[in-house]
Amino acid sequence: MRLADYDVHLFDLDGTLVDAEWSYTRGVFDRVGDRLGRSFSDREAYVLWHGLGGPRGETLRELGVDPDAFWPAFHAVEDPIARAEATILHDDAVRLLDRVDELGGATGVVTHCQRFLTDPVLDELDLRDRFDAVVCCTDETGWKPDPAPIELAMSELDVDPRAARGYYAGDGESDVGAAWNAGLDAVHVERVGHADRGRCVLGDRRVRRLDELLETA
């Protein structure tokens, strides 16, 4: 794949462009554990935060945690400002986005991160003007690997998916599935490593850093 051949550049947010510092993640799971009356080990928190076990709902059930109880507690304890201040922008993502800006084309973010958390992160890291569309998945928009959130982003970008060529870059299996289901090329960004993930995720392009895509710019 050559970046210059694409009309649409779409990205996941957490784990792809940005990541939260571990101290913030650990604190969130401590507070969720207090609400649920159940502690989370470092490994459990790490796996759930990064989605290493596949769909998080399935992982939660395997841990004996009701997803319908977990997610309200999780969102209730998250502090948007604290999270934004604890979030770092990967330097390789900056290099790729700079090149995408030079090439032109439509850009967007499609993320499972909720709007009340996404907006402060984009503002804190001065990312908002980098993207022409930002879609936060909800029950109404659908959840990856459902293609609907990506299709919504394409619609907001006023791009005809039948005529444009695009890709979606993300760090999870659901990101690859969403890209393929929407008819886009899939870039899998493996930031944690195959051994830690416990499986190998396929994609049209598999990279450890986003700036590896510049080799074919």
Side-chain angles (χ1 to χ4, degrees):
M1 60 179 292
R2 296 178 64 253
L3 287 181
D5 294 334
Y6 289 98
D7 309 298
V8 181
H9 310 264
L10 297 179
F11 304 91
D12 175 45
L13 187 61
D14 288 314
T16 300
L17 300 176
V18 307
D19 266 306
E21 296 173 354
W22 169 248
S23 59
Y24 176 80
T25 303
R26 181 66 267 179
V28 167
F29 277 90
D30 287 342
R31 295 190 293 276
V32 172
D34 290 342
R35 285 176 175 253
L36 298 181
R38 189 254 197 225
S39 62
F40 290 87
S41 69
D42 283 353
R43 180 61 185 176
E44 289 170 343
Y46 182 73
V47 167
L48 284 166
W49 186 269
H50 292 284
L52 301 187
R56 290 178 177 83
E58 294 179 10
T59 302
L60 287 166
R61 282 186 283 270
E62 290 172 0
L63 295 175
V65 178
D66 180 2
D68 291 335
F70 175 85
W71 289 115
F74 186 87
H75 290 137
V77 305
E78 284 238 64
D79 182 329
I81 302 304
R83 177 163 177 168
E85 292 175 346
T87 298
I88 61 97
L89 173 62
H90 290 292
D91 57 358
D92 54 289
V94 174
R95 282 191 283 276
L96 178 64
L97 291 173
D98 285 345
R99 180 58 177 147
V100 168
D101 284 346
E102 293 173 1
L103 292 170
T107 60
V109 164
V110 179
T111 175
H112 276 181
C113 188
Q114 296 301 282
R115 179 68 65 177
F116 80 101
L117 298 168
T118 297
D119 284 344
V121 167
L122 295 179
D123 291 337
E124 175 73 18
L125 299 176
D126 198 24
L127 283 174
R128 188 171 297 280
D129 290 342
R130 292 276 198 170
F131 304 108
D132 305 309
V134 176
V135 172
C136 297
C137 297
T138 65
D139 289 340
E140 290 71 33
T141 64
W143 302 89
K144 299 174 290 185
D146 185 332
I150 288 181
E151 292 168 347
L152 177 58
M154 300 277 278
S155 176
E156 291 186 4
L157 294 170
D158 196 25
V159 171
D160 182 352
R162 296 167 298 179
R165 186 178 182 194
Y167 67 88
Y168 178 59
D171 67 309
E173 296 169 71
S174 64
D175 298 317
V176 171
W180 284 342
N181 289 336
L184 302 184
D185 287 350
V187 177
H188 181 248
V189 188
E190 183 54 273
R191 293 199 182 276
V192 302
H194 300 142
D196 210 2
R197 184 177 298 277
R199 68 189 76 190
C200 179
V201 179
L202 300 178
D204 295 297
R205 183 75 189 271
R206 296 157 62 196
V207 298
R208 292 297 301 268
R209 298 170 54 90
L210 285 170
D211 55 7
E212 290 177 44
L213 299 178
L214 297 178
E215 298 169 6
T216 55

